[in-house]
Amino acid sequence: MSQSPEARARLTRSAAYASIAMAVFLTVLKSWAVWRTGSTAMLGSLADTLLDFVASFATLIGVWVAAMPADEDHRFGHGKAEALAAMFQVILIVLSAGGIAFRAVTGLIEGGRTEAADQGIAVSVLAILGTLALLAWQRHVIRKTGSLAIRTDNVHYQSDLLLNLAVIVALVLDQYLGLSRADPLFGLAIAVWLLWGAWRASRDAVDNLMDREWPEEKRLRFVELAARHPELSKLHDLRTRTSGDRDFVQFHVDLPAAMSVGEAHDIIERVEQDLCREFPRMELLIHIDPEGHVDHPGNQLAEADEFDKLEKSHDR
């Protein structure tokens, strides 16, 4: 994840293009299969693929915008475009699940049988093989870039594996074993699975948009690195967030009041270099307070000493 911005942009765009190509291929394949089989489960799988097609374009736009450098209107960069693309995908997944559930309930009430199971199963097997290839490339890109938009797209395509397996089982039960309600029941199960996938995918995107603090383990490691510099005391008002592939951190730290500006600058520059070496792609802002100064009396969120909390956590 220490890729250059240009290399990261190339990788994320390649994953988005691969996703679009796979969605086009599967849409054509499954449209034919729905026409041949009349399966609700296959229709649910097709609807999911159509949404994959739209969502893949959203992913491409998201990663493209996120790769743009900071400008006058967006001084912190455009990283949140990936989270916006991810949320757009979540909305599409929820709409898809609702439509599939409606069709499944209608099938349970009105009845009906599927046809051409062998052709539907063959299409599902081809879809599984193609999806596995796409997932492998997406996982490679995620490892290299940590892209939120690609990670959300990956979650969606993971669900495709189960969707296609469900279609195969539904067709087998319906046509070969005579269980006529199997197809709509599996369609309903697919809708529930899609909703669960949407919930999982939305959490990271919402955290990114809402500037959620880093996970406690990552935050603790940051404080441990800062504590290696004995010149610093009372590190407080630590704030962390992530936007796209970039981390943003700011904190206050106490230095002797009699220290010159030049001396304080040299110390802080060494601290910044050390921390940024361990946390690449991070923008860091350090505010210096004279020892004993209190910015927000009574506000423990701002004034709590992170070094004290670190010592207490080690004493447990």
Side-chain angles (χ1 to χ4, degrees), residues 67-203:
M68 293 179 178
D71 55 34
E72 289 187 1
D73 294 325
H74 304 88
R75 296 299 179 96
F76 289 100
H78 300 79
K80 289 187 184 294
E82 288 197 14
L84 290 172
M87 287 305 300
F88 180 70
Q89 291 184 56
V90 167
I91 293 170
L92 291 178
I93 295 170
V94 171
L95 292 175
S96 173
I100 295 166
F102 177 80
R103 172 65 183 263
V105 171
T106 301
L108 286 171
I109 295 172
E110 298 178 353
R113 295 298 300 273
T114 61
E115 301 175 357
D118 54 342
Q119 296 174 25
I121 290 171
V123 165
S124 296
V125 170
L126 283 175
I128 288 171
L129 294 175
T131 302
L132 285 171
L134 175 63
L135 289 173
W137 179 245
Q138 286 180 328
R139 282 195 294 270
H140 169 73
V141 172
I142 292 167
R143 281 195 304 270
K144 293 289 187 181
T145 68
S147 169
L148 178 60
I150 301 301
R151 189 159 64 244
T152 303
D153 207 32
N154 183 261
V155 169
H156 200 180
Y157 273 102
Q158 285 176 36
S159 72
D160 278 5
L161 293 178
L162 290 180
L163 292 179
N164 287 301
L165 286 172
V167 170
I168 292 172
V169 174
L171 290 172
V172 169
L173 292 176
D174 186 275
Q175 290 193 39
Y176 297 136
L177 300 181
L179 300 176
S180 61
R181 301 295 183 186
D183 182 62
L185 284 174
F186 270 86
L188 194 59
I190 287 170
V192 173
W193 172 256
L194 286 173
L195 288 174
W196 171 241
W199 166 250
R200 288 188 303 159
S202 68
R203 288 181 298 182

Side-chain angles (χ1 to χ4, degrees), residues 220 223-225 227 305-315:
L220 187 64
V223 176
E224 286 176 339
L225 289 171
D305 188 348
E306 297 293 335
F307 290 154
D308 281 347
K309 289 198 289 186
L310 180 64
E311 289 181 7
K312 290 175 182 176
S313 68
H314 288 165
D315 291 340

